Amino acid sequence: MRHEPIDPQLFVRNRERLREMLKPNSIVIVHSNDVMPTNADGVMAFKQNSDFYYLTGVDQEESVLVLMPDAGDPKQREMLFVRETSEHTAVWEGDKLTKEAARAVTGIERIEWSKGFEAMLHGLVPQVENVYLLTNEHMRASVVVENRNDRFIKQCQARYPLHGYQRLAPLMHRLRIIKDPVEVEIVQKACDITGAGFRRLLDFVRPGVGEWEIEAELLHEFVRRGSRGFAYLPIIGSGKSNCVLHYIENDRECQDGDLVLLDVAAEYAGWASDLTRTIPVSGRYSERQREVYDAVLRVFRGCNDLLRPGNTPLEYQKQCTELVEAELVGLGLIDAAAAKEQGEDKPLVKKYFMHGVSHHMGLDVHDVHPPHEPFAEGMLFTIEPGIYIREEGFGVRLENDVLIGKDANIDLMGSIPIEPDEIEELMNC
């Protein structure tokens, strides 16, 4: 294991909180993710189902969690099924979790082999009235590939059609929206690794460097510090490419006078961080670039003041958009009188700022959450305003990860350079 062990009490607490939300006489069945194919006999790197990981800490395929709090037999109230290591598996893939190791990782006492799950299933489901199963209900999810949980839903409903089937996803969204202190520590580690990668770049970026070389420098720094790599596909956009929000080609050579927008961050132990910085390839911002950068930085700070308990996502986005609008007027990009006359959809602003200011963070970069939930202490968000001026050939975005606190927010990336003077100094030392 390349990361520090996670206290299993985190997963014990997560399961206990879930049990408190269930209807009486229920069972919860959650499967791990599949190993996904590529082409021929190739497979993708395994990525665990986030809800399964949140409840168990097990990062292994062919695993099943079963919770049945009201079971008459206490040994059936919490069970984990894991893949047994065969001689063939040991030779080609290496050892899988032993029962003892799975017990240590999860805090679950009863560990069984996955091959015994189907046989045991019929002894469990007839005891209950409600069956909680997992679907992907992220509001922006595009589900085009059937996964292990999807297949099990069909199998279970066909075999037990008269049970009351319940959605597990809304409960998981409710659980995951507030971060446990252990989660915050892990995300802080991911942020620290990201910061080390960014500092490395400030001594590396110069005219003639390829965007792909910047990607390689980051990956080197992330992996050597215990990360598995990027928390999401890295965006390294120089020149006009930094006006493309989801630019991932990273195949352009950085030119003198360009800005390079870096939306790049490390994962750690399964949790994500999310950083954006915009730096000058030559080591110095031009007068106009600095003007726009300073405007975005002011919006960034203003958004932090608004991201407070009790505010709502819709009202927050509106307030932050108004901050951007004022800066666009100051930059001469929109007319003050015309800005006052535009409608609620702010078309003049959206020409230069067309995305959300913040999103939840956690095991997923765009973490799950109940829709329209007011901000509260313990939530973890990005703050990422930007201004993109395609007619001038450049854009600026800044982004940090912020934990909402009772009296003030805690910037988990507060030690990463963001002031333009500091960035210039580090690029020219």
Side-chain angles (χ1 to χ4, degrees):
M1 181 170 19
R2 67 178 67 187
H3 62 77
E4 293 294 321
I6 301 172
D7 184 350
Q9 288 304 307
L10 169 63
F11 309 113
V12 172
R13 288 193 295 273
N14 292 345
R15 294 192 299 273
E16 182 57 37
R17 291 168 59 217
L18 175 58
R19 278 190 286 267
E20 293 172 356
M21 302 170 74
L22 302 177
K23 292 183 177 183
N25 204 16
S26 295
I27 189 171
V28 175
I29 305 172
V30 185
H31 287 258
S32 61
N33 266 346
D34 290 311
V35 176
M36 300 300 294
T38 54
N39 299 292
D41 63 345
V43 296
M44 297 181 184
F46 179 68
K47 173 63 176 175
Q48 185 59 283
N49 178 281
S50 295
D51 289 322
F52 182 87
Y53 191 66
Y54 183 83
L55 295 171
T56 67
V58 170
D59 192 18
Q60 185 172 295
E61 73 283 2
E62 297 182 29
S63 305
V64 190
L65 173 68
V66 176
L67 301 177
M68 197 162 65
D70 300 327
D73 182 352
K75 294 181 179 179
Q76 292 182 336
R77 293 175 185 171
E78 187 174 67
M79 294 178 283
L80 179 70
F81 297 80
V82 295
R83 181 182 174 190
E84 184 178 12
T85 303
S86 66
E87 184 176 352
H88 180 271
T89 301
V91 171
W92 289 92
E93 301 176 36
D95 291 336
K96 300 298 177 180
L97 286 173
T98 64
K99 289 185 178 182
E100 293 75 15
R103 196 171 292 120
V105 168
T106 64
I108 296 173
E109 183 62 29
R110 185 170 181 181
I111 310 294
E112 301 286 346
W113 299 127
S114 298
K115 62 185 179 183
F117 170 72
E118 291 295 335
M120 192 174 293
L121 182 66
H122 189 62
L124 303 176
V125 177
Q127 299 181 46
V128 302
E129 295 178 8
N130 301 294
V131 182
Y132 284 85
L133 301 177
L134 185 64
T135 51
N136 183 356
E137 298 185 23
H138 192 287
M139 290 185 294
R140 298 202 302 182
S142 177
V143 182
V144 296
V145 177
E146 190 175 61
N147 61 38
R148 192 179 182 92
N149 282 292
D150 297 331
R151 295 193 301 275
F152 181 72
I153 290 172
K154 292 181 179 179
Q155 296 163 7
C156 197
Q157 289 179 327
R159 188 172 180 181
Y160 307 104
L162 300 182
H163 277 70
Y165 285 91
Q166 307 295 329
R167 297 159 57 211
L168 182 59
L171 305 188
M172 297 304 304
H173 292 192
R174 175 66 54 190
L175 289 175
R176 289 171 55 185
I177 195 171
I178 301 295
K179 301 317 182 209
D180 187 281
V182 173
E183 289 186 272
V184 176
E185 290 177 8
I186 296 171
V187 175
Q188 182 65 74
K189 179 67 173 178
C191 292
D192 293 344
I193 293 172
T194 298
F198 178 66
R199 287 180 178 276
R200 175 173 177 151
L201 290 185
L202 295 178
D203 190 44
F204 176 77
V205 172
R206 62 189 183 280
V209 163
E211 293 168 350
W212 63 94
E213 294 179 273
I214 296 174
E215 182 177 341
E217 290 292 310
L218 287 166
L219 184 60
H220 185 164
E221 195 65 31
F222 292 174
V223 173
R224 70 185 289 265
R225 292 176 179 267
S227 168
R228 290 188 177 275
F230 293 102
Y232 50 90
L233 289 175
I235 298 169
I236 302 170
S238 61
K240 63 180 182 180
S241 295
N242 60 35
C243 290
V244 180
L245 300 183
H246 289 164
Y247 171 82
I248 57 173
E249 285 78 8
N250 302 341
D251 60 2
R252 184 178 181 273
E253 186 178 283
C254 299
Q255 302 296 322
D256 189 18
D258 282 351
L259 294 181
V260 56
L261 188 151
L262 305 157
D263 193 336
V264 291
E267 71 81 52
Y268 185 74
W271 275 262
S273 63
D274 194 355
L275 172 85
T276 305
R277 291 291 186 269
T278 309
I279 65 174
V281 172
S282 64
R284 301 286 181 191
Y285 296 96
S286 71
E287 182 177 350
R288 179 59 168 172
Q289 290 168 350
R290 177 65 174 264
E291 188 180 26
V292 176
Y293 190 105
D294 287 343
V296 175
L297 186 55
R298 285 191 292 270
V299 174
F300 173 88
R301 290 175 174 146
C303 292
N304 184 62
D305 293 336
L306 298 168
L307 187 69
R308 300 295 297 138
N311 204 353
T312 64
L314 289 177
E315 186 63 24
Y316 169 75
Q317 179 70 24
K318 178 181 177 181
Q319 294 164 345
C320 294
T321 300
E322 290 172 352
L323 295 179
V324 176
E325 179 181 273
E327 294 295 345
L328 293 176
V329 171
L331 291 169
L333 293 169
I334 61 177
D335 179 73
K340 289 182 179 180
E341 295 174 0
Q342 65 182 325
E344 286 291 321
D345 58 346
K346 299 283 187 182
L348 297 179
V349 177
K350 287 185 178 179
K351 177 181 177 181
Y352 300 100
F353 173 62
M354 62 294 292
H355 59 76
V357 182
S358 296
H359 60 76
H360 287 271
M361 287 285 301
L363 282 168
D364 295 305
V365 177
H366 296 161
D367 214 28
V368 295
H369 60 278
H372 310 301
E373 184 79 4
F375 302 146
E377 183 182 356
M379 292 183 180
L380 180 61
F381 280 92
T382 62
I383 299 177
E384 50 179 311
I387 293 175
Y388 312 90
I389 315 173
R390 282 175 288 177
E391 62 267 32
E392 296 184 31
F394 75 94
V396 174
R397 181 164 72 247
L398 301 172
E399 176 182 22
N400 278 11
D401 302 339
V402 174
L403 180 72
I404 297 180
K406 181 179 180 180
D407 300 315
N409 293 338
I410 301 168
D411 189 343
L412 303 186
M413 292 179 160
S415 65
I416 302 176
I418 194 170
E419 291 288 342
D421 286 342
E422 183 180 8
I423 289 173
E424 289 185 340
E425 180 180 353
L426 291 170
M427 293 187 76
N428 291 279
C429 63

